[in-house]
Amino acid sequence: LAFDVIEHSPNPEAFMQGAAQLLVPEGIAIIQSPIERYEHVPPFGDMFENVFDDLEHLHIFTSVSLRRLGKAVGLVTIAEERWRLAHEVVVLRKKSARYE
């Protein structure tokens, strides 16, 4: 589980690689982060100022960018959920021979 972490990471790919290394084959990673899925302008619409602090938040992710990050380190997105705006969740599974 990683809640409100990856957006603060200076190297999200290294963060995802570390998560993947901790998982057994078919293991599950659950990552919660502000994920712009709604094409708001600015991201997260009227909540942008409350959501994004450029001193703390280094990245804004989209569903596509998180799927790509996961794929790059051997994780497959199996679910995407909205807990509430700017608290979206992505569930990833570590690849194994069974799912390849």
Side-chain angles (χ1 to χ4, degrees):
L1 295 172
F3 281 53
D4 291 313
V5 177
I6 195 169
E7 67 271 21
H8 302 279
S9 174
N11 188 337
E13 188 168 356
F15 176 89
M16 292 291 268
Q17 182 64 50
Q21 289 174 348
L22 292 172
L23 295 172
V24 298
E26 300 184 38
I28 301 293
I30 301 172
I31 297 176
Q32 179 274 316
S33 177
I35 304 170
E36 177 50 67
R37 293 186 176 145
Y38 316 104
E39 299 182 18
H40 290 127
V41 177
F44 311 105
D46 295 340
M47 298 239 345
F48 181 79
E49 295 295 326
N50 295 328
V51 172
F52 189 76
D53 175 350
D54 61 355
L55 295 176
E56 293 183 28
H57 296 96
L58 304 177
H59 305 280
I60 295 177
F61 296 97
T62 65
S63 292
V64 171
S65 66
L66 281 173
R67 281 193 298 271
R68 286 180 181 164
L69 271 174
K71 185 177 181 180
V73 301
L75 301 176
V76 177
T77 301
I78 60 172
E80 298 178 14
E81 300 293 332
R82 178 179 174 183
W83 175 25
R84 65 178 198 246
L85 185 64
H87 292 84
E88 291 75 20
V89 175
V90 63
V91 181
L92 304 113
R93 176 185 288 131
K94 186 172 184 174
K95 288 184 181 181
S96 71
R98 179 178 172 187
Y99 291 102
E100 291 180 10

XYZ file of all heavy atoms in Angstrom:
805
model
N 0.848 -1.185 0.000
C 0.000 0.000 0.000
C 0.884 1.235 0.000
O 1.863 1.302 0.744
C -0.869 0.043 1.259
C -1.909 -1.050 1.449
C -2.521 -0.967 2.827
C -2.963 -0.984 0.392
N 0.531 2.184 -0.830
C 1.227 3.467 -0.841
C 0.175 4.555 -1.047
O -0.337 4.734 -2.144
C 2.275 3.514 -1.937
N -0.146 5.253 0.019
C -1.156 6.300 -0.040
C -0.468 7.659 0.057
O 0.254 7.923 1.015
C -2.174 6.142 1.091
C -3.206 5.082 0.827
C -2.842 3.786 0.491
C -4.549 5.387 0.896
C -3.787 2.812 0.240
C -5.508 4.416 0.641
C -5.122 3.131 0.312
N -0.702 8.499 -0.956
C -0.139 9.852 -1.005
C 1.382 9.840 -0.911
O 1.972 10.609 -0.161
C -0.737 10.734 0.098
C -2.190 11.054 -0.155
O -2.523 11.435 -1.291
O -3.002 10.914 0.774
N 2.027 8.975 -1.697
C 3.483 8.872 -1.671
C 4.099 9.173 -3.033
O 4.986 10.019 -3.141
C 3.938 7.467 -1.195
C 5.447 7.341 -1.242
C 3.419 7.164 0.203
N 3.655 8.491 -4.082
C 4.349 8.549 -5.370
C 4.431 9.959 -5.947
O 5.416 10.299 -6.594
C 3.733 7.553 -6.385
C 4.683 7.372 -7.577
C 2.330 7.972 -6.788
C 4.316 6.228 -8.490
N 3.461 10.795 -5.686
C 3.499 12.158 -6.233
C 4.604 13.004 -5.600
O 4.974 14.050 -6.112
C 2.135 12.851 -6.103
C 1.708 13.140 -4.691
C 0.930 12.007 -4.018
O 1.021 10.845 -4.449
O 0.220 12.315 -3.033
N 5.164 12.527 -4.479
C 6.258 13.221 -3.797
C 7.626 12.654 -4.183
O 8.650 13.198 -3.795
C 6.098 13.107 -2.284
C 4.804 13.652 -1.782
N 4.589 14.995 -1.572
C 3.643 13.032 -1.452
C 3.362 15.178 -1.138
N 2.758 14.011 -1.064
N 7.637 11.579 -4.921
C 8.884 10.884 -5.264
C 9.629 11.611 -6.381
O 9.055 11.886 -7.431
C 8.572 9.455 -5.712
O 9.746 8.829 -6.177
N 10.931 11.864 -6.207
C 11.689 12.496 -7.281
C 11.886 11.568 -8.486
O 12.142 12.036 -9.583
C 13.029 12.852 -6.648
C 13.107 12.067 -5.395
C 11.706 11.719 -4.986
N 11.714 10.259 -8.274
C 11.881 9.301 -9.365
C 10.760 8.260 -9.293
O 10.939 7.189 -8.710
C 13.252 8.635 -9.274
C 13.555 7.776 -10.477
O 12.653 7.307 -11.182
N 14.828 7.547 -10.717
N 9.599 8.567 -9.894
C 8.469 7.643 -9.815
C 8.758 6.260 -10.388
O 8.251 5.266 -9.877
C 7.367 8.343 -10.608
C 7.757 9.766 -10.650
C 9.250 9.790 -10.596
N 9.591 6.172 -11.424
C 9.897 4.853 -11.980
C 10.690 4.021 -10.971
O 10.423 2.831 -10.786
C 10.658 4.961 -13.296
C 10.800 3.603 -13.961
C 11.296 3.672 -15.388
O 11.478 4.769 -15.936
O 11.486 2.591 -15.958
N 11.637 4.631 -10.279
C 12.379 3.913 -9.241
C 11.449 3.509 -8.099
O 11.580 2.411 -7.539
C 13.532 4.766 -8.718
N 10.504 4.376 -7.761
C 9.524 4.046 -6.725
C 8.727 2.808 -7.129
O 8.563 1.864 -6.351
C 8.585 5.239 -6.500
C 7.487 4.957 -5.530
C 7.669 5.171 -4.180
C 6.261 4.469 -5.962
C 6.653 4.901 -3.273
C 5.248 4.190 -5.077
C 5.440 4.412 -3.726
N 8.234 2.798 -8.372
C 7.452 1.654 -8.868
C 8.318 0.401 -8.965
O 7.853 -0.701 -8.670
C 6.819 1.980 -10.208
C 5.730 3.031 -10.135
S 4.257 2.460 -9.300
C 3.348 1.868 -10.702
N 9.569 0.555 -9.366
C 10.477 -0.593 -9.434
C 10.662 -1.187 -8.042
O 10.644 -2.405 -7.859
C 11.834 -0.190 -10.010
C 12.812 -1.335 -10.155
C 12.334 -2.374 -11.159
O 11.950 -2.037 -12.270
N 12.360 -3.625 -10.780
N 10.830 -0.328 -7.049
C 10.956 -0.803 -5.670
C 9.714 -1.539 -5.209
O 9.806 -2.587 -4.557
N 8.563 -1.019 -5.559
C 7.307 -1.695 -5.199
C 7.237 -3.054 -5.870
O 6.884 -4.059 -5.241
C 6.115 -0.831 -5.595
N 7.587 -3.104 -7.152
C 7.542 -4.365 -7.885
C 8.494 -5.393 -7.286
O 8.172 -6.581 -7.197
C 7.872 -4.126 -9.362
N 9.661 -4.959 -6.857
C 10.642 -5.878 -6.271
C 10.158 -6.468 -4.950
O 10.538 -7.578 -4.595
C 11.976 -5.169 -6.080
C 12.693 -4.894 -7.382
C 13.951 -4.058 -7.199
O 14.204 -3.490 -6.144
N 14.730 -3.955 -8.263
N 9.328 -5.745 -4.239
C 8.811 -6.239 -2.954
C 7.717 -7.287 -3.120
O 7.431 -8.035 -2.189
C 8.265 -5.072 -2.128
C 9.298 -4.076 -1.613
C 8.597 -2.875 -0.992
C 10.232 -4.734 -0.617
N 7.112 -7.328 -4.293
C 5.977 -8.216 -4.520
C 6.412 -9.595 -5.002
O 7.332 -9.720 -5.803
C 5.030 -7.616 -5.561
C 4.332 -6.319 -5.187
C 3.590 -5.758 -6.387
C 3.384 -6.530 -4.021
N 5.705 -10.606 -4.546
C 5.860 -11.950 -5.111
C 5.117 -11.959 -6.446
O 4.289 -11.085 -6.706
C 5.279 -13.026 -4.156
C 6.022 -13.017 -2.830
C 3.790 -12.842 -3.948
N 5.391 -12.944 -7.325
C 4.617 -13.038 -8.563
C 3.117 -13.071 -8.248
O 2.683 -13.751 -7.317
C 5.089 -14.352 -9.183
C 6.487 -14.505 -8.668
C 6.436 -13.968 -7.250
N 2.370 -12.291 -8.994
C 0.929 -12.101 -8.816
C 0.576 -11.280 -7.574
O -0.598 -11.124 -7.246
C 0.177 -13.437 -8.815
C 0.342 -14.215 -10.099
C -0.475 -15.491 -10.137
O -1.610 -15.490 -9.636
O 0.036 -16.477 -10.685
N 1.595 -10.722 -6.895
C 1.341 -9.855 -5.747
C 0.652 -8.578 -6.181
O 0.729 -8.167 -7.340
N -0.017 -7.936 -5.252
C -0.839 -6.756 -5.534
C -0.241 -5.509 -4.879
O 0.139 -5.538 -3.710
C -2.280 -6.960 -4.996
C -2.937 -8.182 -5.627
C -3.126 -5.711 -5.157
C -3.217 -8.045 -7.106
N -0.175 -4.424 -5.659
C 0.206 -3.109 -5.145
C -1.010 -2.198 -5.264
O -1.680 -2.184 -6.298
C 1.366 -2.537 -5.944
N -1.294 -1.473 -4.206
C -2.391 -0.501 -4.215
C -1.778 0.867 -3.985
O -1.147 1.105 -2.960
C -3.439 -0.824 -3.138
C -4.015 -2.224 -3.380
C -4.539 0.243 -3.129
C -4.914 -2.715 -2.263
N -1.951 1.738 -4.973
C -1.357 3.071 -4.911
C -2.468 4.104 -4.996
O -3.288 4.085 -5.911
C -0.344 3.264 -6.051
C 0.799 2.257 -5.869
C 0.157 4.702 -6.096
C 1.819 2.272 -6.958
N -2.477 4.998 -4.028
C -3.438 6.097 -4.023
C -2.659 7.380 -4.209
O -1.617 7.584 -3.590
C -4.219 6.108 -2.697
C -5.239 7.221 -2.571
C -4.629 8.497 -2.043
O -3.860 8.488 -1.113
N -4.977 9.597 -2.672
N -3.152 8.220 -5.107
C -2.487 9.473 -5.439
C -3.498 10.372 -6.133
O -4.490 9.884 -6.671
C -1.321 9.173 -6.401
O -0.685 10.363 -6.803
N -3.261 11.666 -6.163
C -4.066 12.478 -7.053
C -3.805 12.031 -8.493
O -2.661 12.091 -8.952
C -3.566 13.903 -6.818
C -2.908 13.873 -5.476
C -2.332 12.486 -5.359
N -4.821 11.531 -9.167
C -4.689 11.067 -10.548
C -5.714 11.820 -11.384
O -6.915 11.677 -11.176
C -4.922 9.545 -10.660
C -3.957 8.777 -9.740
C -4.777 9.095 -12.119
C -4.279 7.297 -9.625
N -5.251 12.636 -12.297
C -6.152 13.420 -13.146
C -6.771 12.499 -14.187
O -6.118 12.078 -15.131
C -5.407 14.580 -13.812
C -6.249 15.395 -14.760
C -7.584 15.854 -14.205
O -7.610 16.681 -13.284
O -8.613 15.376 -14.708
N -8.026 12.168 -13.980
C -8.760 11.278 -14.884
C -9.926 11.977 -15.568
O -10.654 11.356 -16.332
C -9.326 10.105 -14.086
C -8.287 9.194 -13.531
C -8.940 7.993 -12.889
N -7.924 7.068 -12.435
C -8.032 6.331 -11.351
N -9.128 6.383 -10.616
N -7.072 5.511 -11.014
N -10.126 13.231 -15.293
C -11.386 13.856 -15.670
C -11.230 14.994 -16.661
O -12.185 15.678 -16.970
C -12.099 14.336 -14.398
C -12.026 13.281 -13.313
C -11.154 13.424 -12.244
C -12.777 12.118 -13.399
C -11.068 12.438 -11.272
C -12.688 11.131 -12.435
C -11.823 11.300 -11.374
O -11.717 10.325 -10.419
N -10.004 15.215 -17.144
C -9.721 16.253 -18.136
C -10.139 17.646 -17.666
O -10.587 18.478 -18.452
C -10.353 15.900 -19.484
C -9.816 14.601 -20.045
C -10.379 14.250 -21.404
O -10.912 15.137 -22.087
O -10.287 13.072 -21.777
N -9.994 17.897 -16.364
C -10.256 19.229 -15.843
C -9.130 20.182 -16.246
O -7.988 19.774 -16.399
C -10.328 19.213 -14.311
C -11.525 18.527 -13.763
N -11.438 17.534 -12.828
C -12.838 18.684 -14.004
C -12.644 17.117 -12.504
N -13.514 17.792 -13.214
N -9.456 21.443 -16.382
C -8.467 22.478 -16.623
C -8.698 23.561 -15.590
O -9.765 24.177 -15.587
C -8.583 23.062 -18.053
C -7.575 24.186 -18.248
C -8.386 21.968 -19.091
N -7.746 23.791 -14.694
C -6.518 23.039 -14.480
C -6.833 21.648 -13.933
O -7.994 21.372 -13.593
C -5.764 23.880 -13.443
C -6.837 24.533 -12.648
C -7.954 24.809 -13.644
N -5.816 20.787 -13.826
C -6.080 19.452 -13.260
C -6.800 19.564 -11.919
O -6.495 20.443 -11.118
C -4.671 18.868 -13.069
C -3.836 19.584 -14.087
C -4.418 20.972 -14.170
N -7.790 18.741 -11.719
C -8.616 18.701 -10.503
C -9.530 19.910 -10.363
O -10.096 20.160 -9.311
C -7.763 18.498 -9.244
C -6.796 17.365 -9.389
C -5.450 17.597 -9.592
C -7.245 16.057 -9.371
C -4.566 16.549 -9.768
C -6.361 14.999 -9.548
C -5.021 15.243 -9.744
N -9.669 20.668 -11.448
C -10.634 21.767 -11.487
C -10.451 22.773 -10.374
O -9.337 23.209 -10.087
N -11.567 23.127 -9.729
C -11.543 24.135 -8.662
C -10.740 23.688 -7.449
O -10.382 24.505 -6.610
C -12.974 24.468 -8.212
C -13.788 25.142 -9.307
O -13.184 25.698 -10.251
O -15.025 25.117 -9.214
N -10.447 22.412 -7.347
C -9.694 21.888 -6.205
C -8.181 21.963 -6.417
O -7.413 21.603 -5.538
C -10.083 20.431 -5.947
C -11.533 20.258 -5.597
S -11.911 19.514 -4.029
C -10.461 18.762 -3.425
N -7.732 22.439 -7.595
C -6.309 22.414 -7.919
C -5.449 23.026 -6.826
O -4.451 22.442 -6.407
C -6.032 23.115 -9.249
C -4.576 23.099 -9.629
C -4.012 21.962 -10.178
C -3.776 24.213 -9.414
C -2.659 21.933 -10.523
C -2.429 24.193 -9.753
C -1.878 23.062 -10.299
N -5.792 24.200 -6.369
C -4.981 24.892 -5.345
C -4.907 24.088 -4.051
O -3.894 24.131 -3.352
C -5.536 26.296 -5.072
C -5.452 27.225 -6.262
C -4.018 27.536 -6.678
O -3.139 27.624 -5.809
O -3.791 27.693 -7.898
N -5.959 23.353 -3.717
C -5.962 22.537 -2.503
C -5.211 21.218 -2.699
O -4.706 20.649 -1.738
C -7.390 22.219 -2.061
C -8.145 23.448 -1.648
O -7.581 24.400 -1.135
N -9.432 23.454 -1.898
N -5.176 20.739 -3.931
C -4.598 19.432 -4.223
C -3.105 19.521 -4.504
O -2.326 18.707 -4.018
C -5.304 18.794 -5.445
C -4.596 17.532 -5.897
C -6.754 18.504 -5.126
N -2.713 20.490 -5.292
C -1.342 20.513 -5.792
C -0.537 21.625 -5.152
O -0.814 22.799 -5.349
C -1.332 20.672 -7.314
C 0.031 20.487 -7.912
C 0.570 19.214 -8.038
C 0.775 21.563 -8.312
C 1.832 19.033 -8.566
C 2.047 21.391 -8.851
C 2.572 20.125 -8.975
N 0.448 21.232 -4.379
C 1.386 22.167 -3.756
C 2.739 21.909 -4.416
O 3.353 20.866 -4.192
C 1.451 21.907 -2.254
C 2.485 22.744 -1.545
O 3.303 23.413 -2.200
O 2.502 22.727 -0.304
N 3.209 22.852 -5.237
C 4.425 22.599 -6.002
C 5.687 22.521 -5.151
O 6.752 22.174 -5.644
C 4.589 23.612 -7.135
C 4.709 25.045 -6.660
O 4.572 25.302 -5.456
O 4.954 25.917 -7.513
N 5.604 22.798 -3.868
C 6.742 22.581 -2.983
C 6.807 21.132 -2.509
O 7.872 20.637 -2.172
C 6.671 23.518 -1.769
C 6.786 25.006 -2.078
C 6.595 25.821 -0.813
C 8.119 25.323 -2.729
N 5.672 20.473 -2.480
C 5.599 19.093 -2.000
C 5.364 18.098 -3.126
O 5.942 17.022 -3.130
C 4.468 18.938 -0.983
C 4.684 19.658 0.306
C 3.546 19.398 1.273
O 2.919 18.331 1.196
O 3.284 20.274 2.095
N 4.477 18.428 -4.028
C 4.098 17.508 -5.097
C 5.005 17.717 -6.303
O 5.062 18.805 -6.856
C 2.637 17.714 -5.496
C 1.701 17.391 -4.395
N 1.189 18.353 -3.561
C 1.197 16.211 -3.982
C 0.391 17.775 -2.668
N 0.395 16.474 -2.905
N 5.693 16.663 -6.674
C 6.616 16.750 -7.796
C 5.986 16.326 -9.110
O 6.495 16.656 -10.172
C 7.851 15.881 -7.507
C 8.586 16.217 -6.216
C 9.736 15.245 -5.997
C 9.082 17.659 -6.229
N 4.869 15.562 -9.034
C 4.253 15.016 -10.240
C 2.737 15.021 -10.130
O 2.187 14.870 -9.041
C 4.703 13.564 -10.472
C 6.178 13.424 -10.521
N 6.915 13.718 -11.647
C 7.070 13.039 -9.577
C 8.188 13.518 -11.391
N 8.311 13.110 -10.146
N 2.093 15.184 -11.270
C 0.668 14.923 -11.416
C 0.570 13.760 -12.393
O 1.155 13.801 -13.478
C -0.106 16.142 -11.962
C -0.064 17.294 -10.966
C -1.554 15.746 -12.272
C -0.739 18.558 -11.472
N -0.147 12.728 -12.010
C -0.279 11.540 -12.836
C -1.643 11.487 -13.500
O -2.610 12.054 -13.004
C -0.074 10.276 -11.992
C 1.301 10.184 -11.423
C 1.557 10.607 -10.134
C 2.347 9.702 -12.185
C 2.833 10.541 -9.607
C 3.635 9.631 -11.676
C 3.878 10.054 -10.377
N -1.678 10.769 -14.614
C -2.935 10.407 -15.258
C -3.038 8.888 -15.184
O -2.061 8.202 -14.862
C -2.957 10.848 -16.737
O -1.957 10.120 -17.448
C -2.733 12.352 -16.878
N -4.189 8.361 -15.511
C -4.336 6.903 -15.551
C -3.336 6.298 -16.535
O -2.707 5.277 -16.252
C -5.762 6.518 -15.951
O -6.662 6.876 -14.941
N -3.176 6.947 -17.675
C -2.254 6.443 -18.698
C -0.821 6.447 -18.179
O -0.087 5.468 -18.349
C -2.374 7.267 -20.003
C -1.279 6.910 -20.983
C -3.746 7.073 -20.633
N -0.406 7.521 -17.534
C 0.984 7.581 -17.069
C 1.256 6.529 -16.000
O 2.331 5.918 -15.981
C 1.350 8.981 -16.578
O 0.634 9.342 -15.412
N 0.299 6.264 -15.114
C 0.509 5.228 -14.101
C 0.497 3.831 -14.705
O 1.277 2.969 -14.292
C -0.517 5.344 -12.979
C -0.196 6.442 -11.973
C -1.334 6.617 -10.978
C 1.092 6.148 -11.244
N -0.355 3.598 -15.698
C -0.332 2.296 -16.381
C 1.023 2.077 -17.052
O 1.595 0.985 -16.998
C -1.457 2.194 -17.407
C -2.810 1.873 -16.792
C -3.826 1.461 -17.840
N -4.131 2.483 -18.818
C -5.088 3.399 -18.693
N -5.858 3.405 -17.616
N -5.304 4.290 -19.634
N 1.548 3.118 -17.692
C 2.852 3.012 -18.356
C 3.976 2.770 -17.350
O 4.879 1.967 -17.591
C 3.143 4.268 -19.169
C 2.347 4.349 -20.434
C 2.671 5.609 -21.207
N 1.874 5.679 -22.414
C 1.706 6.778 -23.120
N 2.294 7.915 -22.756
N 0.955 6.755 -24.206
N 3.945 3.490 -16.233
C 4.950 3.269 -15.188
C 4.900 1.830 -14.690
O 5.928 1.178 -14.535
C 4.711 4.211 -14.004
C 5.373 5.558 -14.019
C 4.893 6.392 -12.835
C 6.876 5.433 -13.994
N 3.699 1.348 -14.435
C 3.542 -0.023 -13.972
C 4.071 -1.015 -14.988
O 4.844 -1.923 -14.650
N 3.678 -0.845 -16.228
C 4.102 -1.757 -17.289
C 5.620 -1.784 -17.415
O 6.218 -2.841 -17.632
C 3.463 -1.349 -18.613
C 3.753 -2.290 -19.751
C 3.020 -1.867 -21.017
C 3.317 -2.844 -22.146
N 2.636 -2.458 -23.376
N 6.263 -0.638 -17.268
C 7.714 -0.551 -17.399
C 8.449 -1.387 -16.361
O 9.585 -1.797 -16.592
C 8.163 0.904 -17.305
N 7.797 -1.662 -15.230
C 8.455 -2.427 -14.160
C 7.798 -3.785 -13.931
O 8.065 -4.445 -12.931
C 8.534 -1.615 -12.851
C 9.314 -0.326 -13.064
C 7.151 -1.330 -12.285
N 6.932 -4.207 -14.852
C 6.325 -5.534 -14.752
C 5.062 -5.603 -13.931
O 4.693 -6.675 -13.440
N 4.362 -4.480 -13.780
C 3.091 -4.452 -13.061
C 1.962 -4.161 -14.044
O 2.087 -3.270 -14.886
C 3.101 -3.389 -11.961
C 4.177 -3.531 -10.888
C 4.121 -2.345 -9.936
C 4.010 -4.832 -10.122
N 0.867 -4.880 -13.911
C -0.283 -4.717 -14.787
C -1.412 -4.067 -13.986
O -1.747 -4.538 -12.885
C -0.752 -6.083 -15.329
C -1.999 -5.936 -16.175
C 0.359 -6.751 -16.114
N -1.992 -3.012 -14.517
C -3.131 -2.368 -13.853
C -4.341 -3.281 -13.956
O -4.726 -3.690 -15.050
C -3.433 -1.004 -14.494
O -2.278 -0.179 -14.380
C -4.616 -0.324 -13.823
N -4.941 -3.596 -12.805
C -6.125 -4.461 -12.801
C -7.383 -3.732 -12.348
O -8.478 -4.218 -12.563
C -5.900 -5.744 -11.970
C -5.571 -5.416 -10.514
C -4.811 -6.603 -12.607
C -5.536 -6.634 -9.605
N -7.216 -2.558 -11.742
C -8.389 -1.776 -11.333
C -7.975 -0.326 -11.116
O -6.842 -0.040 -10.743
C -9.009 -2.332 -10.057
N -8.916 0.562 -11.358
C -8.750 1.982 -11.084
C -10.035 2.451 -10.423
O -11.113 2.225 -10.947
C -8.499 2.760 -12.366
C -7.225 2.354 -13.081
C -7.018 3.111 -14.387
O -7.703 4.128 -14.624
O -6.182 2.661 -15.167
N -9.898 3.066 -9.275
C -11.063 3.503 -8.513
C -10.907 4.955 -8.092
O -9.801 5.461 -7.958
C -11.245 2.634 -7.253
C -11.453 1.172 -7.532
C -12.766 0.863 -8.232
O -13.744 1.624 -8.051
O -12.814 -0.135 -8.963
N -12.035 5.589 -7.875
C -12.032 6.948 -7.334
C -12.573 6.869 -5.919
O -13.730 6.532 -5.691
C -12.920 7.869 -8.162
C -12.981 9.266 -7.591
C -13.856 10.159 -8.438
N -14.016 11.459 -7.801
C -14.768 12.413 -8.293
N -15.407 12.228 -9.424
N -14.877 13.549 -7.660
N -11.701 7.136 -4.976
C -12.134 7.215 -3.584
C -12.872 8.541 -3.426
O -14.000 8.590 -2.997
C -10.922 7.106 -2.679
C -11.157 7.287 -1.231
C -12.311 7.080 -0.542
C -10.202 7.700 -0.274
N -12.138 7.342 0.783
C -10.841 7.729 0.966
C -8.867 8.044 -0.352
C -10.185 8.085 2.136
C -8.213 8.400 0.814
C -8.866 8.418 2.034
N -12.218 9.626 -3.814
C -12.824 10.947 -3.975
C -11.870 11.761 -4.822
O -10.741 11.337 -5.073
C -13.119 11.602 -2.621
C -11.906 11.925 -1.793
C -12.340 12.613 -0.492
N -11.235 13.285 0.107
C -10.691 12.965 1.255
N -11.178 11.963 1.949
N -9.672 13.630 1.734
N -12.298 12.902 -5.311
C -11.465 13.702 -6.195
C -10.111 13.957 -5.549
O -10.029 14.363 -4.396
C -12.142 15.034 -6.520
C -11.413 15.918 -7.528
C -11.339 15.235 -8.895
C -12.089 17.265 -7.653
N -9.057 13.679 -6.304
C -7.665 13.833 -5.888
C -7.214 12.752 -4.909
O -6.156 12.853 -4.321
C -7.401 15.219 -5.315
N -8.015 11.724 -4.757
C -7.664 10.568 -3.926
C -8.017 9.299 -4.694
O -8.691 8.409 -4.199
C -8.406 10.610 -2.591
C -7.949 11.719 -1.713
N -8.427 12.997 -1.827
C -7.023 11.737 -0.731
C -7.834 13.760 -0.922
N -6.978 13.023 -0.253
N -7.528 9.227 -5.924
C -7.824 8.099 -6.789
C -6.882 6.937 -6.463
O -5.793 7.143 -5.929
C -7.691 8.504 -8.259
C -8.751 9.471 -8.737
C -8.581 10.903 -8.276
O -7.467 11.298 -7.884
O -9.568 11.648 -8.293
N -7.319 5.748 -6.781
C -6.580 4.533 -6.450
C -6.339 3.728 -7.717
O -7.214 3.628 -8.576
C -7.380 3.680 -5.436
C -6.691 2.357 -5.161
C -7.613 4.450 -4.141
N -5.148 3.154 -7.821
C -4.825 2.214 -8.882
C -4.329 0.929 -8.220
O -3.589 0.974 -7.241
C -3.791 2.793 -9.884
C -2.467 3.083 -9.236
C -3.604 1.875 -11.067
N -4.820 -0.206 -8.732
C -4.434 -1.517 -8.214
C -3.650 -2.215 -9.319
O -4.118 -2.316 -10.454
C -5.670 -2.351 -7.812
C -5.257 -3.707 -7.250
C -6.539 -1.584 -6.808
N -2.457 -2.670 -8.970
C -1.575 -3.306 -9.945
C -1.192 -4.704 -9.469
O -1.069 -4.934 -8.269
C -0.307 -2.475 -10.132
C -0.542 -1.021 -10.533
C -0.113 -0.104 -9.418
C 0.176 -0.685 -11.794
N -0.979 -5.595 -10.417
C -0.558 -6.966 -10.109
C 0.794 -7.203 -10.756
O 1.015 -6.842 -11.911
C -1.554 -7.992 -10.646
C -1.088 -9.439 -10.425
C -2.005 -10.466 -11.043
N -3.231 -10.534 -10.276
C -4.447 -10.493 -10.813
N -4.608 -10.390 -12.125
N -5.514 -10.569 -10.068
N 1.686 -7.841 -10.004
C 2.981 -8.209 -10.568
C 2.784 -9.333 -11.558
O 2.091 -10.322 -11.285
C 3.951 -8.630 -9.474
C 5.349 -8.876 -9.980
C 6.316 -9.109 -8.836
C 7.739 -9.255 -9.330
N 8.663 -9.343 -8.190
N 3.390 -9.194 -12.724
C 3.268 -10.209 -13.764
C 3.875 -11.526 -13.304
O 4.807 -11.558 -12.519
C 3.984 -9.766 -15.039
C 3.301 -8.675 -15.792
C 4.063 -8.397 -17.072
C 3.436 -7.293 -17.865
N 4.162 -7.054 -19.116
N 3.316 -12.585 -13.831
C 3.873 -13.917 -13.653
C 3.608 -14.673 -14.948
O 2.871 -14.207 -15.822
C 3.218 -14.631 -12.476
O 1.880 -14.992 -12.793
N 4.176 -15.850 -15.077
C 3.971 -16.653 -16.290
C 2.491 -16.892 -16.541
O 2.050 -16.964 -17.683
C 4.715 -17.968 -16.166
N 1.699 -16.953 -15.492
C 0.259 -17.201 -15.612
C -0.450 -16.103 -16.399
O -1.431 -16.350 -17.087
C -0.342 -17.322 -14.209
C -1.806 -17.551 -14.193
C -2.268 -17.714 -12.766
N -3.727 -17.752 -12.741
C -4.429 -17.755 -11.645
N -3.832 -17.757 -10.479
N -5.726 -17.771 -11.689
N 0.003 -14.844 -16.277
C -0.674 -13.712 -16.908
C 0.042 -13.185 -18.142
O -0.339 -12.176 -18.691
C -0.841 -12.570 -15.891
C -1.838 -12.944 -14.814
C -1.410 -13.352 -13.558
C -3.196 -12.914 -15.069
C -2.317 -13.706 -12.582
C -4.108 -13.268 -14.100
C -3.658 -13.659 -12.855
O -4.557 -14.014 -11.895
N 1.092 -13.844 -18.585
C 1.823 -13.350 -19.756
C 1.282 -13.959 -21.020
O 0.611 -14.910 -21.080
C 3.313 -13.642 -19.597
C 3.895 -12.785 -18.484
C 5.395 -13.027 -18.275
O 6.017 -13.708 -19.101
O 5.891 -12.538 -17.282
